[in-house]
Amino acid sequence: RGVESHGMMCSPKELGLADDAQGLLILRENAQVGQSFAEYLGRAVGDVVYDLEITPNRPDLNSVLGIAREIAAVTGNPLKMPELSVVRGQGSVADLVAVRIDDAELGPRYVARVVRGVKVGPSSDWLRTALEKVGVRSINNVVDVTNYVMLETGQPLHAFDYHLIARAPGAEAGNDSTVQPSNDSTPTIVVRRAQDGELFVTLDGQKHTLTREMLLIADELKGIALAGVMGGQNTEIHEQTVDVLIESAYFKPANIRRTAKALGLRTDASYRFERGADIGITDWASARCAQLILATAGGQLAEGAV
C-alpha cells in the first residue's frame, strides 16, 4: 500500500515451524535483536544436510552411525559413538514387564525397557530441529526421541503407554475378549503371529484385517503393534502418559516386506526392517533411547532390560 514494512508478527504455523498454533510465536527474553533467526532456532547458518541414495544391499547406511562407520573404515579415522550414560535405574524392570516370544523365526529378539514418571510435551528446539531437517514431523518429546535414535542408529524403536498394556493373568492371547485386564499384575509382551481375520487399528487410524503370515506385538488380550511396521492406536503415547515402555526388536526382513506390501503400509520402520536391521544393536539403541527420554521428558528408568 505504499507503506514501508518493518516486519510482521507470525505464528509458528505461518513460519512453517508447526502444523498448528494457538497464537503468535513469542521469543525468549534473551533473544538478541539482529541475530539470525536460524541461529536463534539452533540451526547453524550454512549447515549442510546430506541427501543420500542408499542401495538395497547396504541397509547399514540407513543411519548416521552407519555412514560414520563406513567413512571411518575408508579414511582410517576413529569412529565416534555417542556417549551412553544412562543413570542407574530404580527398581527392576523384570518386576514391571515380561516378554514372551511365541514365534522366534519371525521375531527372534525383543528388548523392553520402562521409564516411569515422564512428562509428555513439545520437544526441545534441538530435537525438533534435527528431525525437521530430514523431513520428520515432530510429534512429542517421547515419540521424537524414538525417531531420532532410529535415524542415528538405524534401529527402529517404538514407545507404548505402559498403562494401556493389558494385564490378564492366565488369559491366552485372543482366546477370550471378555476377560478384563487386572491392574495389579505384571503385563506380558507377546510376540506372536496374528490370527486369520484379526482386526487391528494402526496409529494412523486405519483398520486392517490381518493374516497368520503377519507378526503382531500383543499383550495378553489384544494386538498392540504391527511388528516392524506401525504401532497401534490402543497404546499410543499421549499428553497424559506417565510411564513408557520402549520396544527395540529384530524381525525377519522378508516377513516385514510381505506384511507392509500386503497392507499398503510403508513406514520408516518397515523400510529399515525389510532391508535388514542390526540384531546386535537392539539393546544399545534401547538404552540410548532411554537416555534421551530421561533428558527430554524426565522420569526414572527401571533397572535393566527384559
Side-chain angles (χ1 to χ4, degrees):
R1 298 176 297 179
V3 178
E4 182 180 355
S5 172
H6 294 280
M8 63 181 294
M9 293 180 284
C10 298
S11 71
K13 183 178 180 180
E14 290 169 321
L15 292 171
L17 300 175
D19 292 332
D20 196 12
Q22 298 299 320
L24 299 177
L25 175 62
I26 306 300
L27 305 187
R28 298 186 295 268
E29 291 184 1
N30 61 355
Q32 299 179 9
V33 176
Q35 180 186 21
S36 162
F37 191 53
E39 289 183 355
Y40 171 81
L41 292 177
R43 303 183 183 187
V45 177
D47 198 6
V48 176
V49 175
Y50 290 96
D51 186 3
L52 308 178
E53 293 186 10
I54 308 301
T55 52
N57 65 319
R58 293 303 304 271
D60 57 306
L61 298 181
N62 285 315
S63 68
V64 174
L65 282 180
I67 294 168
R69 185 177 289 112
E70 180 77 357
I71 294 173
V74 171
T75 63
N77 292 323
L79 174 67
K80 297 179 180 179
M81 295 283 286
E83 183 178 350
L84 193 59
S85 56
V86 178
V87 297
R88 186 174 179 83
Q90 295 190 355
S92 173
V93 68
D95 295 332
L96 298 174
V97 67
V99 173
R100 189 178 84 231
I101 296 180
D102 287 351
D103 197 309
E105 178 189 1
L106 301 185
R109 192 173 196 198
Y110 192 100
V111 178
R113 274 187 168 84
V114 175
V115 181
R116 294 178 289 181
V118 304
K119 183 173 179 57
V120 177
S123 289
S124 304
D125 288 344
W126 71 266
L127 179 55
R128 186 173 62 252
T129 298
L131 295 177
E132 289 173 349
K133 284 180 180 179
V134 292
V136 177
R137 181 172 63 92
S138 175
I139 298 174
N140 58 53
N141 46 8
V142 172
V143 175
D144 286 358
V145 163
T146 63
N147 285 327
Y148 181 88
V149 176
M150 177 189 68
L151 295 167
E152 183 180 59
T153 66
Q155 171 63 34
L157 301 111
H158 187 67
F160 299 100
D161 184 312
Y162 174 79
H163 293 286
L164 296 179
I165 301 171
R167 290 93 162 143
E172 292 299 324
N175 282 353
D176 186 357
S177 60
T178 64
V179 176
Q180 295 301 310
S182 167
N183 292 322
D184 57 2
S185 61
T186 300
T188 298
I189 298 294
V190 183
V191 182
R192 63 170 173 88
R193 288 176 182 260
Q195 299 174 358
D196 283 325
E198 186 169 355
L199 298 178
F200 183 70
V201 179
T202 44
L203 280 169
D204 57 3
Q206 299 300 309
K207 181 183 291 186
H208 302 277
T209 303
L210 310 182
T211 71
R212 270 197 56 79
E213 299 306 311
M214 300 173 182
L215 192 65
L216 201 62
I217 308 302
D219 57 30
E220 294 172 296
L221 295 180
K222 63 186 182 300
I224 58 176
L226 193 56
V229 181
M230 188 179 290
Q233 202 174 55
N234 53 13
T235 48
E236 181 179 10
I237 299 295
H238 53 88
E239 290 182 356
Q240 283 72 46
T241 297
V242 292
D243 297 335
V244 173
L245 186 142
I246 303 168
E247 167 191 288
S248 181
Y250 178 87
F251 305 114
K252 186 176 180 180
N255 180 261
I256 301 302
R257 186 181 307 114
R258 286 194 296 268
T259 298
K261 184 176 181 180
L263 298 179
L265 278 175
R266 295 292 184 180
T267 63
D268 287 331
S270 68
Y271 174 83
R272 287 163 173 79
F273 277 127
E274 68 184 33
R275 283 160 176 77
D278 178 9
I279 194 171
I281 205 173
T282 50
D283 185 58
W284 192 95
S286 173
R288 172 69 169 161
C289 183
Q291 174 189 16
L292 293 180
I293 287 178
L294 292 173
T296 59
Q300 294 179 334
L301 177 65
E303 182 73 25
V306 177

